[in-house]
Amino acid sequence: MVMKRSLPNLNWVEGFSVRLSQLPQLQGDDDHDPMLKSFRCLLEEYGRHMARLAHTLFDVLITNLGMDPALCAPYLSESTGYLRLYRYPPYPDPDQVSGLEAHTDSSVLSILNENVVGGLQVFKDERWIDIKPVSDTLVVNMGDMMQAISNDEYKSVLHRVLALKREERFSICYFVYPPGDLMIQSTNYRPFTYNMYMDQVREDRETIGGKVGLPRFMLSEPLN
Ligand SMILES: O=C(O)CCC(=O)C(=O)O
Ligand SMILES: [Fe+2]
């Protein structure tokens, strides 16, 4: 008999996050290192494209619901944008670990760019579905804030990344949020700010070991 030991809650991933608004402040610090400087410039340029794309997508998504994009514009604060650069090394026994465990993003929108090895899944109709990677294609996820702003018309998708046995996976993810202190008005949730939301997420992680997310703010009787 072969005994297997599983490694619960182990995300087999490494990388870093960078707040885009902080990058220009690093100008000068990297003068001595041309590679670092060109990397910073590349991140800044990439961030600008992502911010433009997020803005356009947000307007289209809001207009599609018959809501006024001008009224909703403050919900998307491009100054909150950040990039997460991840490397998922291969793992010899991929059933024993996650690349990234199941979660919803707390963002308004998340825009993912991945190499073509697979591993990303979304939960739909009670099962996990592989998102087949297509080269030179971005994947856009709606986040929790989009779900609240859209009164649940758009769903914040539960997703995860599987560990892979042989391939190395890379992703560059852009996330954008509302300003921290802006009240989010929704027919289905009590008014809350993004800061209040994240305080609750942190508290839930500490006390019950995981994120509850939007259900914490749900109204028992939706407003109309
Ligand atoms: O690496 C990916 O493609 C997804 C990453 C992700 O879901 C996240 O960072 O929230
Ligand atoms: Fe995510």
Side-chain angles (χ1 to χ4, degrees):
M1 189 173 76
V2 180
M3 293 278 283
K4 283 194 172 176
R5 201 158 64 96
S6 73
L7 304 167
N9 301 330
L10 179 63
N11 289 325
W12 196 247
V13 61
E14 61 182 359
F16 66 91
S17 301
V18 54
R19 187 170 283 280
L20 286 162
S21 62
Q22 285 175 344
L23 281 173
Q25 295 159 26
L26 299 175
Q27 203 172 352
D29 289 358
D30 50 17
D31 281 343
H32 63 285
D33 188 335
M35 274 250 288
L36 194 59
K37 192 182 178 88
S38 80
F39 183 52
R40 174 179 57 75
C41 291
L42 195 63
L43 290 179
E44 282 183 21
E45 187 179 351
Y46 189 82
R48 278 194 294 276
H49 286 299
M50 288 297 112
R52 181 174 47 78
L53 186 56
H55 184 88
T56 306
L57 286 170
F58 183 73
D59 274 8
V60 171
L61 289 163
I62 289 295
T63 306
N64 187 44
L65 294 178
M67 294 166 77
D68 184 346
L71 284 180
C72 292
Y75 286 137
L76 189 86
S77 169
E78 285 160 31
S79 64
T80 65
Y82 81 88
L83 291 178
R84 200 180 271 169
L85 285 83
Y86 272 166
R87 170 180 175 262
Y88 299 81
Y91 192 82
D93 197 353
D95 293 341
Q96 299 305 307
V97 294
S98 296
L100 201 61
E101 62 195 343
H103 66 281
T104 59
D105 294 347
S106 302
S107 56
V108 178
L109 291 174
S110 311
I111 306 178
L112 317 181
N113 189 347
E114 55 176 345
N115 63 333
V116 206
V117 296
L120 181 65
Q121 294 188 318
V122 297
F123 196 68
K124 187 168 183 290
D125 301 331
E126 301 306 309
R127 65 193 182 96
W128 286 105
I129 297 173
D130 290 323
I131 301 298
K132 207 168 159 244
V134 181
S135 81
D136 297 327
T137 303
L138 302 168
V139 176
V140 179
N141 279 346
M142 315 267 182
D144 301 342
M145 296 304 112
M146 186 56 144
Q147 180 166 336
I149 294 163
S150 72
N151 304 318
D152 291 337
E153 289 292 328
Y154 297 128
K155 294 286 185 302
S156 179
V157 68
L158 188 65
H159 57 286
R160 68 181 183 185
V161 180
L162 299 179
L164 301 175
K165 193 177 174 112
R166 290 197 179 80
E167 293 93 347
E168 188 176 37
R169 181 173 190 274
F170 291 98
S171 67
I172 306 172
C173 306
Y174 169 82
F175 302 90
V176 64
Y177 301 88
D181 53 3
L182 180 71
M183 219 29 113
I184 295 173
Q185 307 289 346
S186 170
T187 54
N188 301 352
Y189 303 92
R190 63 186 158 87
F192 65 93
T193 65
Y194 180 69
N195 286 345
M196 287 161 66
Y197 189 77
M198 288 315 290
D199 283 348
Q200 184 67 55
V201 169
R202 273 187 286 273
E203 188 183 317
D204 287 336
R205 284 200 178 119
E206 276 161 27
T207 53
I208 58 171
K211 169 178 164 180
V212 177
L214 281 176
R216 281 275 185 230
F217 295 85
M218 204 179 276
L219 289 168
S220 45
E221 296 279 326
L223 306 169
N224 272 314

